[in-house]
Amino acid sequence: MRISRTRITAVVAATVTVAAAVTTVLAGTASAAQGCRIDYQPNEWTGGFTANVRVSPGDTALSGWTVTWSYPGGQRITGGWNATVSQSGTTVTARNAAWNGSVPAGGSTEFGVQGTSTSGSAAPTGFTLNGVPCNGAPPPTTTPPPTTTPPPTTPPPTTPPPTTPPPTTPPPTTPPPTTPPPTTPPPTTPPPAGCAGAVLCDGFENQTGSTPAGDWSVVNPDCSGTGRASVDTATTHSGSRSLRIDGAQGYCNHVFVRSTRDLSAVGSVRYGRIWLRHTTALPTQHITMMAMTDAADGNKDLRMGGQNGALQWNRASDDATLPEQSPAGVALSVPLPTGRWTCLEFMVDGNQGQLRTWLDGTAVTGLTADGVPTHDIDSQWLNRTWRPRLTDLKLGWESYGEGADTLWYDDVALGTSRIGC
């Protein structure tokens, strides 16, 4: 069969064009996250874990990101924050939230996950950012497409070509490389147990007496009465000690334990995590169980407590409440469970004047001030500009009428990002 030279030329040209296009696509993908790092910092306990994950794209800015990794053990993701997280088999996929998809070159962003695990679960492996391996792992190899050799235009010779005898000396071998292959950088030192790198991390295990001392001091603002603070060894969330508050009814019977630590490193955006247990349902009248001095509000306290049987935030300077104390507003908050340990988390953003609250990992709508006016929640809270600058942390009990309670606090943490339960 006679093959047209024009057709052969067209086939060769098309092959070269396709190969070049494939090369261009592969090069673009490989450079999408050059030098990227994914730092995974776990906090594990029997049967469960949380982990803080830092995404650093290296020398390439991101306008959106997807991080994947694999669990070689028995870990299963049950939730996450600051990202949309899912798991298929052993592979976990985390995609950016609406507010943290843009990351500049040299910058980073963080998100977290929570899950269950079996004893001795191994560390995750195979981290990728937008499909590109991170932490020094080599990029995936790709087999180039085969080239097409055009058929010959002249018939082959009928006389076979002469054979060449094999060489008498073996061909030279290529010496092995003298430089060892790159290794994956060692993981960063894990944070203290249960705190994910928080600035303040205290389970009261360093308390040696029955009265809080050292990193904590007992305070009675304005007046003192029958309220008592002590170190308890009978009821704990973890370890062998907790803080116990015997809160009596009436304003002058209040008592608090204040952190003596320098908390300036927390900065203007403060995340907190407190494990809390109490015996009596929140009363109808207002009480406070956590307070933080606001240096930008006349050194008045930002207070977390309860009213009408549900949790609430309160500003001491103008007595604004979050949520509003209408029946509809109270219904958007939640009661504080009794007789068991509860994980209370919060975020106070001094730059934006925002508040967020989680109870046992679930966001509480009525305890959220996101800057968008919401009926029955934040009309009091947004009646003036509020940019808090918090300087301390006080745990205890303050009753403004009725209400006595016994409370325990344990595994207290403050940091610059969400810590998790």
Side-chain angles (χ1 to χ4, degrees):
M1 177 179 70
R2 184 175 181 272
I3 301 176
S4 166
R5 182 178 300 273
T6 300
R7 183 180 178 189
I8 294 172
T9 302
V11 170
V12 174
T15 301
V16 173
T17 301
V18 170
V22 171
T23 302
T24 301
V25 170
L26 293 177
T29 302
S31 64
Q34 184 176 358
C36 64
R37 278 196 62 82
I38 307 296
D39 293 309
Y40 181 96
Q41 297 183 331
N43 164 36
E44 298 178 326
W45 59 90
T46 303
F49 69 96
T50 61
N52 194 66
V53 186
R54 174 173 293 175
V55 182
S56 304
D59 58 5
T60 302
L62 301 178
S63 59
W65 49 264
T66 298
V67 174
T68 65
W69 68 85
S70 295
Y71 283 132
Q75 298 99 318
R76 295 295 304 176
I77 295 296
T78 59
W81 56 91
N82 295 339
T84 301
V85 186
S86 61
Q87 183 171 354
S88 177
T90 61
T91 301
V92 178
T93 302
R95 294 181 173 85
N96 63 272
W99 60 87
N100 62 358
S102 296
V103 184
S108 65
T109 189
E110 295 184 1
F111 66 93
V113 296
Q114 184 169 359
T116 60
S117 63
T118 58
S119 177
S121 294
T125 59
F127 289 97
T128 72
L129 174 58
N130 291 346
V132 178
C134 293
N135 301 353
T141 57
T142 304
T143 304
T147 58
T148 303
T149 304
T153 56
T154 57
T158 55
T159 304
T163 59
T164 303
T168 56
T169 59
T173 59
T174 303
T178 57
T179 304
T183 58
T184 302
T188 56
T189 302
C195 292
V199 174
L200 169 66
C201 173
D202 202 330
F204 304 100
E205 296 303 301
N206 61 350
Q207 297 292 322
T208 57
S210 60
T211 301
D215 288 341
W216 301 87
S217 63
V218 179
V219 294
N220 304 92
D222 303 317
C223 56
S224 62
T226 59
R228 293 289 180 266
S230 60
V231 176
D232 195 355
T233 58
T235 302
T236 66
H237 175 255
S238 69
S240 60
R241 290 171 174 82
S242 67
L243 170 65
R244 172 171 171 157
I245 299 292
D246 291 286
Q249 179 173 301
Y251 177 68
C252 272
N253 290 322
H254 56 218
V255 62
F256 287 90
V257 175
R258 181 179 183 272
S259 172
T260 61
R261 294 274 302 275
D262 179 7
L263 302 179
S264 59
V266 178
S268 58
V269 180
R270 171 181 289 206
Y271 285 84
R273 191 280 315 280
I274 297 170
W275 282 95
L276 171 65
R277 182 186 180 110
H278 75 140
T279 58
T280 306
L282 295 174
T284 300
Q285 295 190 27
H286 182 198
I287 61 93
T288 293
M289 56 192 180
M290 178 183 73
M292 297 173 283
T293 301
D294 185 353
D297 197 12
N299 287 321
K300 298 293 186 179
D301 282 340
L302 171 64
R303 305 185 289 206
M304 160 58 77
Q307 191 168 350
N308 289 311
L311 292 170
Q312 74 164 11
W313 287 98
N314 171 256
R315 277 196 307 244
S317 61
D318 60 358
D319 208 30
T321 65
L322 184 78
E324 300 169 24
Q325 290 304 296
S326 65
V330 172
L332 294 171
S333 183
V334 291
L336 182 65
T338 58
R340 69 172 178 87
W341 287 98
T342 302
C343 178
L344 174 65
E345 297 177 86
F346 62 90
M347 183 280 291
V348 182
D349 186 339
N351 297 325
Q352 304 295 326
Q354 297 185 4
L355 262 173
R356 298 182 187 276
T357 315
W358 301 265
L359 198 66
D360 288 332
T362 300
V364 182
T365 301
L367 302 177
T368 300
D370 55 8
V372 179
T374 306
H375 186 58
D376 289 318
I377 295 179
D378 55 13
S379 64
Q380 289 185 25
W381 208 260
L382 300 180
N383 65 4
R384 64 178 174 88
T385 300
W386 177 67
R387 296 293 183 269
R389 184 159 54 88
L390 306 178
T391 59
D392 68 356
L393 174 67
K394 299 182 286 289
L395 306 173
W397 180 260
E398 188 168 60
S399 170
Y400 306 100
E402 65 171 350
D405 204 350
T406 303
L407 307 93
W408 291 265
Y409 298 86
D410 205 351
D411 297 323
V412 177
L414 291 178
T416 59
S417 61
R418 190 174 174 188
I419 299 158
C421 295

